[in-house]
Amino acid sequence: MSKIEIRGLKKSFGRKVVLDGLDLDVAERESLVVIGGSGTGKSVMLKCILGLLEPDAGSIKIDGREVVGLSSREREKLMQKFGMLFQGGALFDSIRIWENVAFGLIQGRGMDRKAAKEIALSKLRAVGLGPEVAELRPSELSGGMQKRVALARAIAAEPEIIFFDEPTTGLDPIMSDVINDLIVKCVREVGATAVSITHDMASARKIADRIAMLHRGRIIWQGPAAEIDSSGNPYVEQFVHGHAEGPIQMEVRTR
Amino acid sequence: MNFLAAVGAAFLGFLAAAGRIVLFTLAALAAMARPPWYPRQILRQMIDIGYYSLPVVGLTAIFTGMVLALQTYTGFSRFAAESAIPNVVVLSMTRELGPVIAGLMVAGRIGAAIAAEIGTMRVTDQIDALTTLSTNPYKYLVVPRLLSGTLMLPLLVLVANVIGVFGGFLVSTYKLDFNPATYIQRTADFLETMDVVAGLAKAAVFGFIVTLMGCFHGYTSRGGAQGVGAATTYAVVSGSILILLFDYILTEAFFSR
């Protein structure tokens, strides 16, 4: 049974169709990377799975259970299975770093603050940040450090499924690689199912067991990460090699 | 025809906005009814809304009371009714000016701050992050603010009433040659419990309105810094207008009493 099973997922904003009958399966404990250009609906797909957006049509099953249209109470409970690393980090800027990391434990699960702080410190250590960082506030950290804190927060409650939204965007190549390594390590340690969306091929190659390509609201190709260079699919080849010419037409007005 | 279409579109837009506010309010009230509650958040908001608004509300109240005494004197001395000044001051403050002035000041101070804070959280995905951490953003962000606003504004108004009456007392005794004892006597004599209670009830409603507008406009803001700026403006403007609107409605309801 698939951990996540998406069938016929549709979502439009006004007249703009973003997801157009998307089908996707994610197996337990695999790391799937969804690639695709900007504006192809990658983030919308994640937000639909998380229930942050209500899909127009289609079905999403987690562990075989339909989750579209859950009540907010059931949704809160379901969220305990999930961890999410947001593109901009989305750290809470009014509270300290360790409180950010421990947030899901304290507020979401009602854990004792002292015990939660211990876990937060160990998760910070896992992403290479020492206890001196724990008492700072998010605005006092660099972009790369914020990403690491966000990663620590995403894995703090040991979720079964972790989403990574553009984990390396806006980071220098070295910090990107550090984050990629941390993602691989953390996902393996927690034993989680991971879905990442990115347009950074170096990142995709590093963290993926399997890669799927999203184009115009549908999955147009999927296969093991090793086969990405021999896909035989002109769309995938254009994207992987980053050519401006090819079957994918960027929606840019030339005049 | 174009003109009619524009009027119709504006009216439909207004109805849609009103509907969204009502749905938001119902969702917030539903969230308020069930645990978990967040006592730390509630305490933080209470201190922010209640304690830190004291200087602003106190200052406006004392000047309002002082002006009230002066203006009443100007009018009432024309028909030799200066002795009614203490009654006018205390009734105006408790029934009307205390709640309205405190409400408007809090709309500017707190409504704007709430809209800016929650709006920034919205555009930086922090609200979505709350959801993914099994925390209902209505319960964590909206409910503590609504509760604090509704509970703290009456307390602020109680303080504003006392300070306002004291302002009137200062002007009357030092400038208008009232006898201090007589002034206090007359203030107390004609004041009924209902006057104060009606004012405090208004204050509770205004506190709810101000925090609701801040939360609603912040929560629904979009489009980066500009969107947050717009949300802040809407929160203050709509909060202020609704305060004056509900002031009339509530006064009408309390009128015969």
Side-chain angles (χ1 to χ4, degrees):
Chain A
M1 185 177 65
S2 307
K3 190 78 178 165
I4 307 173
E5 182 187 310
I6 305 173
R7 289 291 174 271
L9 191 66
K10 289 189 182 179
K11 179 73 187 172
S12 310
F13 295 98
R15 268 182 218 161
K16 185 167 167 47
V17 178
V18 179
L19 296 180
D20 186 18
L22 180 136
D23 299 323
L24 187 65
D25 288 270
V26 187
E28 181 137 25
R29 290 180 178 242
E30 87 168 328
S31 172
L32 174 76
V33 170
V34 179
I35 56 173
S38 311
T40 47
K42 305 189 298 290
S43 291
V44 173
M45 178 187 78
L46 285 194
K47 287 189 170 173
C48 283
I49 302 174
L50 288 168
L52 300 172
L53 287 173
E54 189 77 18
D56 298 333
S59 125
I60 300 168
K61 287 184 179 155
I62 309 286
D63 292 324
R65 178 162 166 250
E66 181 64 49
V67 298
V68 173
L70 279 188
S71 74
S72 68
R73 216 175 195 175
E74 288 172 295
R75 176 66 64 181
E76 269 168 55
K77 212 173 276 170
L78 179 72
M79 278 300 140
Q80 305 211 340
K81 288 189 181 183
F82 284 92
M84 165 104 184
L85 174 66
F86 285 86
Q87 191 176 343
L91 297 176
F92 304 125
D93 36 32
S94 59
I95 56 178
R96 286 185 289 265
I97 294 297
W98 78 263
E99 290 173 309
N100 261 287
V101 177
F103 194 93
L105 300 169
I106 297 172
Q107 313 292 359
R109 302 194 177 184
M111 190 187 273
D112 171 61
R113 285 176 71 83
K114 220 169 188 181
K117 185 168 186 177
E118 286 302 310
I119 295 179
L121 289 176
S122 78
K123 294 296 171 188
L124 282 172
R125 209 173 314 125
V127 298
L129 295 173
E132 68 283 356
V133 174
E135 300 296 330
L136 300 177
R137 302 205 178 242
S139 57
E140 298 173 84
L141 301 187
S142 70
M145 283 167 109
Q146 288 190 6
K147 266 275 161 64
R148 289 203 233 178
V149 175
L151 177 61
R153 184 175 72 178
I155 58 168
E158 317 226 321
E160 295 170 30
I161 303 169
I162 313 181
F163 289 165
F164 300 97
D165 185 354
E166 313 258 355
T168 56
T169 300
L171 300 179
D172 66 66
I174 298 168
M175 186 50 81
S176 294
D177 206 48
V178 171
I179 295 285
N180 288 335
D181 282 338
L182 283 173
I183 288 176
V184 172
K185 185 183 119 205
C186 293
V187 168
R188 217 162 273 154
E189 260 170 27
V190 181
T193 307
V195 179
S196 319
I197 58 180
T198 187
H199 44 235
D200 172 1
M201 284 313 298
S203 172
R205 284 173 210 276
K206 190 132 192 185
I207 50 187
D209 297 330
R210 206 156 63 82
I211 296 181
M213 171 138 178
L214 187 62
H215 181 61
R216 300 210 166 180
R218 285 162 184 257
I219 299 293
I220 54 164
W221 180 86
Q222 50 184 317
E227 288 176 20
I228 187 76
D229 293 307
S230 54
S231 64
N233 182 311
Y235 291 88
V236 177
E237 273 173 17
Q238 186 194 349
F239 190 87
V240 169
H241 298 112
H243 295 308
E245 299 298 319
I248 305 174
Q249 293 298 318
M250 282 291 151
E251 286 176 25
V252 182
R253 292 211 186 112
T254 47
R255 211 176 324 185
Chain B
M1 281 318 278
N2 263 343
F3 172 70
L4 284 181
V7 172
F11 187 64
L12 288 179
F14 168 76
L15 288 183
R20 276 195 291 273
I21 292 174
V22 170
L23 288 178
F24 183 85
T25 313
L26 291 178
L29 291 177
M32 202 181 284
R34 276 205 325 264
W37 294 284
Y38 296 98
R40 275 169 167 268
Q41 296 300 314
I42 297 174
L43 188 69
R44 208 190 116 204
Q45 292 304 325
M46 281 190 164
I47 292 171
D48 213 26
I49 296 175
Y51 183 68
Y52 287 112
S53 298
L54 271 175
V56 182
V57 170
L59 274 176
T60 42
I62 195 157
F63 289 124
T64 308
M66 288 162 74
V67 163
L68 204 52
L70 272 186
Q71 293 283 34
T72 314
Y73 180 80
T74 314
F76 280 29
S77 62
R78 291 178 193 170
F79 43 92
E82 300 95 322
S83 60
I85 291 177
N87 312 327
V88 172
V89 168
V90 74
L91 284 186
S92 309
M93 280 310 296
T94 52
R95 292 187 69 106
E96 183 63 34
L97 289 172
V100 169
I101 297 232
L104 291 177
M105 294 316 289
V106 170
R109 215 189 85 82
I110 299 298
I114 291 177
E117 188 179 354
I118 297 187
T120 306
M121 292 186 75
R122 165 60 74 197
V123 300
T124 55
D125 285 339
Q126 290 180 48
I127 293 185
D128 286 347
L130 278 177
T131 309
T132 65
L133 294 167
S134 296
T135 306
N136 183 329
Y138 279 96
K139 287 182 187 170
Y140 188 76
L141 294 175
V142 178
V143 169
R145 286 170 172 79
L146 290 180
L147 277 180
S148 307
T150 314
L151 293 176
M152 294 318 278
L153 203 62
L155 294 182
L156 276 173
V157 166
L158 210 53
V159 176
N161 288 342
V162 174
I163 294 178
V165 168
F166 180 64
F169 170 81
L170 283 182
V171 169
S172 304
T173 51
Y174 283 94
K175 198 169 160 57
L176 307 175
D177 294 329
F178 261 81
N179 177 307
T182 322
Y183 189 96
I184 294 171
Q185 182 69 40
R186 292 192 66 93
T187 297
D189 275 354
F190 289 93
L191 187 67
E192 289 174 22
T193 315
M194 195 57 204
D195 298 327
V196 179
V197 170
L200 296 187
K202 274 184 180 179
V205 174
F206 297 167
F208 185 79
I209 289 173
V210 165
T211 44
L212 179 72
M213 286 298 110
C215 291
F216 173 77
H217 288 291
Y219 205 86
T220 52
S221 70
R222 57 194 71 236
Q226 202 183 7
V228 175
T232 311
T233 308
Y234 291 145
V236 176
V237 172
S238 61
S240 306
I241 292 174
L242 284 176
I243 282 179
L244 295 174
L245 171 71
F246 274 84
D247 184 42
Y248 181 77
I249 294 174
L250 291 171
T251 308
E252 179 86 53
F254 291 128
F255 185 64
S256 52
R257 266 158 269 181

